[in-house]
């Protein structure tokens, strides 16, 4: 069965410090992987995706993510956090081998960047 | 270029009632997917509409149904509402059924009392 795990409910980091939000996945085939961000009372905003190619993916607002096939991970990173990055972050996966086109989401990680 | 729009923003219903939520996809998109996001959880796939037909369905009961119109807009209907149906309902649109880029709307917050 396809699944996504975000092991941390909340990540706290000081402004200017690097941040990492963790994600691991399980699919039977090859994965498509995504990160979305959700601000209060807003829908999901797309940050970045991994489909194929370079394991380091760069996305919006200075975020990047590293795909690690052996560890089945897709951690979200940013070299220098901003207070405005504080939000709810979701990792999602789609199984390339599955005829269903649905996204499977993790439970979310709340990022809190303190000034 | 308008993004995905949803209406209404908020809705309060009583157990047993029926509700209809609406979604207009991003300009140029022809596929609409619906997700349910319960409080403190990630979104869960309900179903996807393409060419006015339900193409894929998640693990939701038949009380959840939908429709897609010729202009690609979509409705989500929920019958016999339960307290557990209280959630944020998100609509996502894409170009083509197989597209891996989905654009989400702001959602409709449904409260069932």
């Amino acid at each position: 069965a396809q699944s996504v795990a975000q092991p941390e409910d909340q990540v706290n980091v000081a402004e200017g410090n690097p941040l990492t939000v963790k994600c691991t996945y399980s699919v039977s085939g090859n994965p498509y992987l995504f990160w979305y961000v959700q601000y209060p009372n807003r829908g999901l905003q797309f940050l970045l995706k991994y489909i194929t190619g370079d394991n380091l993916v760069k996305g919006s607002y200075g975020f990047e993510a590293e795909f690690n096939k052996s560890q089945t991970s897709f951690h979200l990173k940013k070299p220098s956090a901003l207070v405005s990055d504080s939000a709810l972050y979701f990792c999602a996966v789609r199984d390339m081998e599955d005829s269903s086109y649905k996204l499977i989401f993790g439970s979310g990680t709340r990022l809190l960047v303190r000034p | 270029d308008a993004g995905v729009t949803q209406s209404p923003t908020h809705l309060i219903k009583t157990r047993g009632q029926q509700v209809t939520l609406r979604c207009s996809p991003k300009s140029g998109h022809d596929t609409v997917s619906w997700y349910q996001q319960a409080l403190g959880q990630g979104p869960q796939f309900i179903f996807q509409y393409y060419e006015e037909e339900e193409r894929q369905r998640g693990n939701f009961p038949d009380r959840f149904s939908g429709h897609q119109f010729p202009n690609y807009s979509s409705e989500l209907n929920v019958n016999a509402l339960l307290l557990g149906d209280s959630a944020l309902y998100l609509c996502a649109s894409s170009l083509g059924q197989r597209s891996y880029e989905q654009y989400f709307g702001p959602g409709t917050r449904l409260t069932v009392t």
Side-chain angles (χ1 to χ4, degrees), chain B residues 3-74:
Chain B
V4 180
T5 59
Q6 293 185 243
S7 63
T9 305
H10 296 88
L11 204 52
I12 299 175
K13 290 287 188 177
T14 304
R15 275 179 298 175
Q17 286 188 317
Q18 179 264 343
V19 69
T20 297
L21 311 181
R22 295 177 176 83
C23 170
S24 291
K26 180 179 168 64
S27 178
H29 285 185
D30 58 5
T31 303
V32 172
S33 300
W34 287 92
Y35 292 80
Q36 180 195 65
Q37 185 180 9
L39 196 62
Q41 297 183 23
Q44 289 196 314
F45 176 78
I46 303 175
F47 43 52
Q48 181 190 72
Y49 275 84
Y50 174 68
E51 293 186 334
E52 302 181 46
E53 290 189 16
E54 182 184 298
R55 300 292 180 167
Q56 301 286 342
R57 190 178 182 90
N59 189 25
F60 280 81
D62 292 345
R63 298 187 298 109
F64 290 77
S65 63
H67 189 77
Q68 186 179 34
F69 299 93
N71 66 353
Y72 308 121
S73 66
S74 177

Side-chain angles (χ1 to χ4, degrees), chain A residues 32 34 36 38 41-46 49 51 88 90 94 96 99-108, chain B residues 10 35 37 40-45 48 56-58 88 90 97-107:
Chain A
Y32 290 145
F34 306 83
Y36 285 87
Q38 186 174 40
N41 302 316
R42 301 280 291 276
L44 300 177
Q45 295 181 32
F46 171 80
K49 66 180 183 289
I51 304 299
L88 190 57
F90 289 97
R94 200 174 100 186
M96 291 168 55
S99 60
S100 166
Y101 308 123
K102 65 184 179 185
L103 289 173
I104 305 296
F105 285 87
S107 56
Chain B
H10 296 88
Y35 292 80
Q37 185 180 9
Q41 297 183 23
Q44 289 196 314
F45 176 78
Q48 181 190 72
Q56 301 286 342
R57 190 178 182 90
L88 181 67
L90 296 166
Q97 194 180 4
R98 298 176 60 87
S99 172
Y100 43 72
E101 290 213 28
Q102 296 190 16
Y103 292 79
F104 284 80

Side-chain angles (χ1 to χ4, degrees), chain A residues 13-19 78-85 112-115:
Chain A
V13 64
E15 188 174 31
N17 283 359
L19 69 87
K78 188 173 183 181
S80 179
L82 300 172
V83 172
S84 58
D85 292 331
L112 182 60
V113 181
R114 59 185 185 276

Side-chain angles (χ1 to χ4, degrees), chain A:
Chain A
Q2 302 167 42
S3 65
V4 175
Q6 293 182 244
E8 303 152 317
D9 290 336
Q10 183 161 313
V11 169
N12 298 304
V13 64
E15 188 174 31
N17 283 359
L19 69 87
T20 298
V21 182
K22 296 179 180 178
C23 171
T24 59
Y25 65 90
S26 175
V27 297
S28 56
N30 290 313
Y32 290 145
L33 291 157
F34 306 83
W35 276 101
Y36 285 87
V37 61
Q38 186 174 40
Y39 295 97
N41 302 316
R42 301 280 291 276
L44 300 177
Q45 295 181 32
F46 171 80
L47 279 179
L48 50 79
K49 66 180 183 289
Y50 172 82
I51 304 299
T52 187
D54 194 349
N55 289 343
L56 184 63
V57 178
K58 295 189 182 296
S60 306
Y61 314 119
F63 284 93
E64 57 189 28
E66 186 168 11
F67 171 63
N68 187 316
K69 188 173 183 177
S70 62
Q71 297 185 3
T72 62
S73 68
F74 190 56
H75 300 331
L76 181 70
K77 301 180 179 183
K78 188 173 183 181
S80 179
L82 300 172
V83 172
S84 58
D85 292 331
S86 298
L88 190 57
Y89 290 80
F90 289 97
C91 180
V93 68
R94 200 174 100 186
D95 188 340
M96 291 168 55
E97 310 297 322
D98 192 336
S99 60
S100 166
Y101 308 123
K102 65 184 179 185
L103 289 173
I104 305 296
F105 285 87
S107 56
T109 298
R110 187 165 300 282
L111 174 65
L112 182 60
V113 181
R114 59 185 185 276

